[in-house]
Amino acid sequence: MKKIYPLGILFLLLAGCSTMSDTKSAPAPDKVADKPLFRDPVYDGAADPTIIYNAADKKWYMFYTNRRANVQGLRGGVTWVHGTPIGIATSADGGATWQYLGQAKINYQDAVADATWWAPAVVVHNGVYHMFLSYVPGIFNDWKHPRDIIHLTSKDLLTWDYQSTLPLSSHSVIDAGVLHLPDGTWRLWYKDEADGSSCHYADSKDLDTWTERGRAEGASRPGGEAPNPFHWQGHYWLFRDITGGAHGLALYRSEDAVTWTPTSTLLIQPGTGPDDAVVGHHPEVILSGTRAYLFYFTHPDSVGASATEGNSRRSSIQVTELKYDAANHTLTCDRDAPTMINLQPPADPETQSKFN
């Protein structure tokens, strides 16, 4: 027997269904990001973060250089920055909190037993993850040794298999930053220490074969590293960590990702929050909807801009939100303001976190 409902009741039932559907599809509210955002529980040396979404377990993954900050009895100099594994942390709440997962397994047959791994950059293409990683063949107490950028692939973000060593401008190259361009090609920026630590770039159609293009015009100020590219608010942007002079994160703008114009320097003034009262280093930018977030690391107890032999070596990851200054065509941030964050899963994982 059919039941007949008054129109008022039917309206309420339909409205309730609509409300439940809207509630289910609406993203969770922003949370205040931890400050510091993350500290590594093994070596307390988390640095050089790169972040990507893992659709399989619906979490954000952070890869980072894990400097051996708390290891005692090492040789002097920069030995503690060598022999470093790549750490992994994950976030299930859109980047507000992070939990340590472990270390990336790097399968590179020709690597020495005491290999040094630095500054990963991770992208995804056709369901396969690609890592561009700086490799140093050993543990040393200075910076005078070969280093190359190698290409690895993974299906699960945990185990990485060697594919090739990139044919770049020298064998003193580190700090890859990769962007998928609108024409379907890929561009990789990096630091060439043999060329005054200037910024070079290379192009690829498939992430496997690369063509060196030389210096990045307008963005090759000597004494910089960690180039980080992205497209937002109608412009290409490139951050570089300036290691000489006044330090800070130099910001460049471009209309074609080839010729760059310097616009400003961020994170040069110390913040006031926990572990943030020093200059910021090695940027990573993630886009989420119409918003952009700047991840970076600090040496909280350092004197000056970096952890030298007499300073504390530990490091912490931090995050702040970027704002677009349309009047001056540049970007700003307030590192002392609470960072409200809820990174959304990208609809297009190949581009959306870096190109908007």
Side-chain angles (χ1 to χ4, degrees):
M1 178 178 174
K2 294 182 179 178
K3 294 183 179 180
I4 300 176
Y5 295 97
L7 288 176
I9 294 177
L10 285 174
F11 175 79
L12 290 173
L13 288 172
L14 291 172
C17 291
S18 175
T19 300
M20 286 187 290
S21 175
D22 292 344
T23 301
K24 184 177 180 180
S25 62
D30 290 356
K31 289 185 176 181
V32 178
D34 282 349
K35 200 169 189 71
L37 186 66
F38 178 75
R39 287 178 64 180
D40 176 79
V42 180
Y43 293 132
D44 207 9
D48 313 336
T50 188
I51 294 169
I52 194 166
Y53 185 69
N54 184 346
D57 63 2
K58 296 180 173 57
K59 293 180 181 179
W60 290 88
Y61 276 49
M62 178 195 297
F63 296 83
Y64 57 93
T65 306
N66 200 359
R67 297 174 172 181
R68 299 183 296 162
N70 60 10
V71 176
Q72 302 297 314
L74 298 176
R75 289 181 297 162
V78 291
T79 304
W80 62 282
V81 188
H82 290 79
T84 47
I86 299 301
I88 307 174
T90 65
S91 174
D93 60 3
T97 63
W98 295 80
Q99 291 73 44
Y100 177 75
L101 180 64
Q103 296 178 2
K105 182 180 180 182
I106 308 297
N107 293 325
Y108 178 23
Q109 184 176 356
D110 293 336
V112 299
D114 55 354
T116 292
W117 311 111
W118 286 338
V122 180
V123 297
V124 63
H125 181 48
N126 292 336
V128 177
Y129 296 102
H130 298 256
M131 179 186 288
F132 295 89
L133 183 65
S134 304
Y135 164 65
V136 184
I139 297 175
F140 307 102
N141 61 3
D142 57 39
W143 307 114
K144 302 176 182 178
H145 301 273
R147 52 206 64 183
D148 288 291
I149 294 175
I150 64 173
H151 174 207
L152 307 109
T153 59
S154 174
K155 284 285 191 178
D156 61 6
L157 287 172
L158 302 176
T159 301
W160 295 86
D161 297 320
Y162 173 85
Q163 301 299 318
S164 66
T165 298
L166 273 61
L168 301 176
S169 52
S170 76
H171 290 288
S172 295
V173 296
I174 62 172
D175 294 352
V178 185
L179 189 64
H180 201 179
L181 300 176
D183 64 1
T185 63
W186 300 79
R187 184 159 294 162
L188 178 147
W189 289 262
Y190 63 94
K191 171 188 180 182
D192 185 355
E193 296 180 332
D195 188 22
S197 293
S198 60
C199 183
H200 283 231
Y201 71 103
D203 287 333
S204 174
K205 294 181 179 179
D206 56 12
L207 292 172
D208 292 315
T209 302
W210 292 88
T211 301
E212 162 70 20
R213 300 298 189 192
R215 285 189 175 188
E217 184 179 345
S220 284
R221 168 184 172 182
E225 60 188 20
N228 187 255
F230 60 104
H231 184 278
W232 188 51
Q233 297 292 347
H235 305 285
Y236 289 95
W237 306 93
L238 185 74
F239 274 116
R240 293 180 70 217
D241 185 350
I242 301 304
T243 56
H247 299 275
L249 302 183
L251 177 64
Y252 304 84
R253 187 186 68 248
S254 175
E255 306 311 313
D256 58 8
V258 174
T259 302
W260 299 89
T261 300
T263 68
S264 60
T265 302
L266 277 64
L267 304 184
I268 188 172
Q269 297 300 324
T272 59
D275 281 9
D276 205 30
V278 288
V279 70
H281 291 289
H282 203 110
E284 162 73 325
V285 173
I286 294 294
L287 308 179
S288 180
T290 60
R291 301 164 75 180
Y293 293 91
L294 171 61
F295 296 80
Y296 59 99
F297 83 89
T298 63
H299 284 296
D301 305 315
S302 65
V303 176
S306 63
T308 57
E309 186 62 20
N311 301 331
S312 175
R313 298 167 174 173
R314 75 176 183 91
S315 52
S316 297
I317 306 296
Q318 305 277 8
V319 65
T320 185
E321 185 171 359
L322 291 172
K323 300 292 185 181
Y324 179 53
D325 179 353
N328 297 298
H329 303 291
T330 190
L331 305 180
T332 64
C333 69
D334 181 358
R335 67 192 297 182
D336 294 330
T339 299
M340 306 301 298
I341 190 170
N342 182 22
L343 299 177
Q344 295 302 297
D348 179 0
E350 295 199 14
T351 61
Q352 198 174 47
S353 293
K354 290 288 186 179
F355 202 107
N356 202 338

